[in-house]
Structure formats: C-alpha cells, structure tokens
Amino acid sequence: MVRPTWDNYFMEIAQQVSKRSTCDRKSVGAVIVRDKVILSTGYNGSIRGIKHCDEIGHLMENDHCVRTVHAEVNAVAQSAMNGTEIKNSSIYLTASPCWPCFKVIVNSGIKKIYFGEFYKDEKIFEFAQETGVELVDMSNKDR
C-alpha cells in the first residue's frame, strides 16, 4: 500500500464526506484544514431541521436545487457554530466552488482551495488571483 500525500489524504476524506449529501443532483464534500489538522467538514444538505431532498424532493429555481446549503458553506458554518477559527486555512472540495460559495470562502479567511472537478464558474480563477487565494486543481492527480 502506498501512503497518500497529505493533499490526497484530505481530498479522499472530502470524497467520503460527500457521501453524506442529501441532494442527488450533486454530491459535494468539503474539508477545512490547517497545519494538517481537520477543522471542519461539510456536505450539501438542507437547512438544519428542514427535510432534505432525498426525503421531500428538490426545490428547483432556474434549473438549480435551492433546498440545499452547499458543502463549503456548511463547513464554514460548522466551524463558526463551534467557535473554530479557520483564518489562514485550506479547504478541500470535491468540486470547485460556485461563485457565491467562493465569496464565502474568501471572506472567511481561507487562503487555499483544492478542488476535484471543475464546476461551472470560470470567474473564480480571475478573482482568486485578485484576492490572493490559491486555487489547486486536483482533478488530474492520482487519488
């Protein structure tokens, strides 16, 4: 057995976290890490206390399910709820963040975004450079 690199290790954990997703339209996992320590995780699912897509169905607007909170926002919210500082951390995502999630990530103080597959929004590349947030595409790396 080959020991995985730290980046591959955390991305594999993000893949596991994504299996908790409750919206079958897109399963995404997020892991926030600093100094090789996991600070928070998140997956896409409904607002706390509200039924999930897999229980009640999708809430569609403009061909997008809006019942769910995205994985990265759930990971940031989880850290806030538990008083865990995430400033100067990294986030591992199974898919690149959409534009609204990218803004939350940047404003939360996360400095590096690792992502598996590219998802939708090219403008994150331009604004990552402008904000000094590093984007790392892991879609072509062995996992």
Side-chain angles (χ1 to χ4, degrees):
M1 182 171 96
V2 176
R3 189 172 186 207
T5 66
W6 284 107
D7 291 338
N8 287 340
Y9 172 72
F10 291 125
M11 187 58 78
E12 288 172 13
I13 293 171
Q15 290 285 349
Q16 278 299 116
V17 171
S18 76
K19 294 177 182 179
R20 292 280 309 152
S21 293
T22 59
C23 182
D24 63 3
R25 291 180 51 83
K26 186 78 177 162
S27 294
V28 178
V31 178
I32 300 176
V33 175
R34 186 177 50 242
D35 299 327
K36 299 178 186 168
V37 174
I38 295 173
L39 304 174
S40 184
T41 65
Y43 54 87
N44 51 326
S46 293
I47 297 169
R48 189 179 301 274
I50 294 178
K51 291 189 179 202
H52 295 275
C53 295
D54 60 3
E55 298 171 308
I56 196 168
H58 301 289
L59 178 59
M60 300 300 292
E61 290 181 10
N62 300 320
D63 199 36
H64 188 72
C65 181
V66 295
R67 182 175 306 284
T68 62
V69 178
H70 289 189
E72 47 273 73
V73 171
N74 270 329
V76 169
Q78 188 72 24
S79 65
M81 191 171 73
N82 291 312
T84 304
E85 183 179 327
I86 58 174
K87 185 177 177 183
N88 297 318
S89 63
S90 298
I91 190 167
Y92 292 80
L93 301 168
T94 57
S96 62
C98 66
W99 178 237
C101 288
F102 176 81
K103 294 185 289 184
V104 169
I105 290 168
V106 171
N107 279 4
S108 72
I110 293 171
K111 296 298 182 188
K112 202 169 197 177
I113 302 169
Y114 295 85
F115 63 91
E117 68 175 282
F118 174 73
Y119 177 72
K120 282 192 177 181
D121 210 323
E122 294 278 341
K123 73 176 148 279
I124 65 170
F125 296 103
E126 173 190 344
F127 285 92
Q129 190 170 19
E130 189 174 329
T131 60
V133 170
E134 187 177 349
L135 289 172
V136 180
D137 181 351
M138 292 186 65
S139 62
N140 294 323
K141 295 190 179 183
D142 283 335
R143 282 197 277 273

